[in-house]
């Protein structure tokens, strides 16, 4: 069975500082990995995705993620966060007919 | 994201009521999904439709009944719900059920059961 673990429930970062959100997955085959962001009262917006090829993928809003098969990880990074990045971030694996399996999410708080 | 529209945005209902949630996508997609988002729990897949055919029913209680009359519309009919069914219900769509096709989400319907 596939699963996703986001070990950090909350993360607080100062505005302008760098960010890394952790994601570990369990998947039987080649994983299809996604990061989504959810602002309060809204649905999920896709930040980036990984299927194959270059293990460092670029997404929207200045985010990137690195796939590390040996560590079963797909961590999300941003060099310098903005106050508008405060939101809930979800890592997901799978897709297609089985739907997506999500982690519990990481709540990002930005300090001024 | 305006490609997937969900109505209503908020719904309060009693346990004996019957109501329906509506989802409409304007992206020309062929696969549609219902997810449930409860507090402190991961999003849970409920139903999957591909070309109007239901392909997944993730052990969802029968008090939830999906309907997909065409590839652009998806409904979730609700009947005799329980307090634990209070949650955010999210609809998503994708081009098809190829795993490489990302899912696009609506803003959800916040459901409260009295």
């Amino acid at each position: 069975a596939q699963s996703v673990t986001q070990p950090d429930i909350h993360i607080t970062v100062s505005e302008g500082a760098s960010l890394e959100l952790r994601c570990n997955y369990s998947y039987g085959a080649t994983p299809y990995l996604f990061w989504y962001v959810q602002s309060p009262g809204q649905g999920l917006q896709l930040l980036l995705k990984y299927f194959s090829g270059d293990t460092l993928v670029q997404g929207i809003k200045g985010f990137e993620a690195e796939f590390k098969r040996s560590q079963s990880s797909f961590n999300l990074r941003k060099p310098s966060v903005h106050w508008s990045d405060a939101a809930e971030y979800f890592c997901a694996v799978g897709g297609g007919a089985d739907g997506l399996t999500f982690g519990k999410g990481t709540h990002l708080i930005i300090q001024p | 994201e305006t490609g997937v529209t969900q109505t209503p945005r908020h719904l309060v209902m009693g346990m004996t009521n019957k109501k329906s949630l509506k989802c409409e996508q304007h992206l020309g997609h062929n696969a549609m999904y219902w997810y449930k988002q409860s507090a402190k729990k991961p999003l849970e897949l409920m139903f999957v439709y591909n070309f109007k055919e239901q392909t997944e029913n993730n052990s969802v209680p029968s008090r939830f009944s999906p309907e997909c009359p065409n590839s652009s519309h998806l409904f979730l009919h609700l009947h005799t719900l329980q307090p634990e069914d209070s949650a955010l219900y999210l609809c998503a769509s994708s081009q098809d059920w190829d795993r490489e096709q990302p899912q696009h989400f609506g803003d959800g319907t916040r459901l409260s059961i009295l």
Side-chain angles (χ1 to χ4, degrees), chain A residues 31 33 42 91 105:
Chain A
L33 295 159
Q42 296 186 10
C91 181

Side-chain angles (χ1 to χ4, degrees), chain B residues 5-108:
Chain B
T5 303
Q6 291 187 243
T7 55
R9 291 296 310 276
H10 301 272
L11 178 62
V12 179
M13 58 186 286
M15 289 190 285
T16 58
N17 292 158
K18 290 184 180 181
K19 296 286 184 182
S20 296
L21 310 185
K22 179 182 178 182
C23 175
E24 182 175 4
Q25 58 94 3
H26 307 276
L27 301 169
H29 289 168
N30 296 305
M32 298 187 78
Y33 311 79
W34 279 116
Y35 288 88
K36 177 183 179 182
Q37 186 177 28
S38 304
K40 301 182 180 180
K41 293 177 66 176
L43 277 83
E44 303 169 74
L45 178 67
M46 299 177 72
F47 300 105
V48 180
Y49 277 83
N50 193 46
F51 289 94
K52 302 186 296 180
E53 298 297 321
Q54 184 176 317
T55 59
E56 182 79 17
N57 176 339
N58 216 22
S59 303
V60 179
S62 59
R63 57 185 183 270
F64 294 91
S65 174
E67 179 189 3
C68 189
N70 55 61
S71 294
S72 299
H73 293 86
L74 184 65
F75 295 90
L76 187 62
H77 302 300
L78 316 172
H79 175 52
T80 320
L81 296 192
Q82 303 300 309
E84 62 265 28
D85 297 323
S86 297
L88 181 68
Y89 288 84
L90 290 165
C91 173
S93 70
S94 60
Q95 183 62 49
D96 51 45
W97 64 358
D98 187 329
R99 292 179 190 274
E100 294 187 13
Q101 299 297 331
Q103 294 181 20
H104 299 257
F105 285 80
D107 287 338

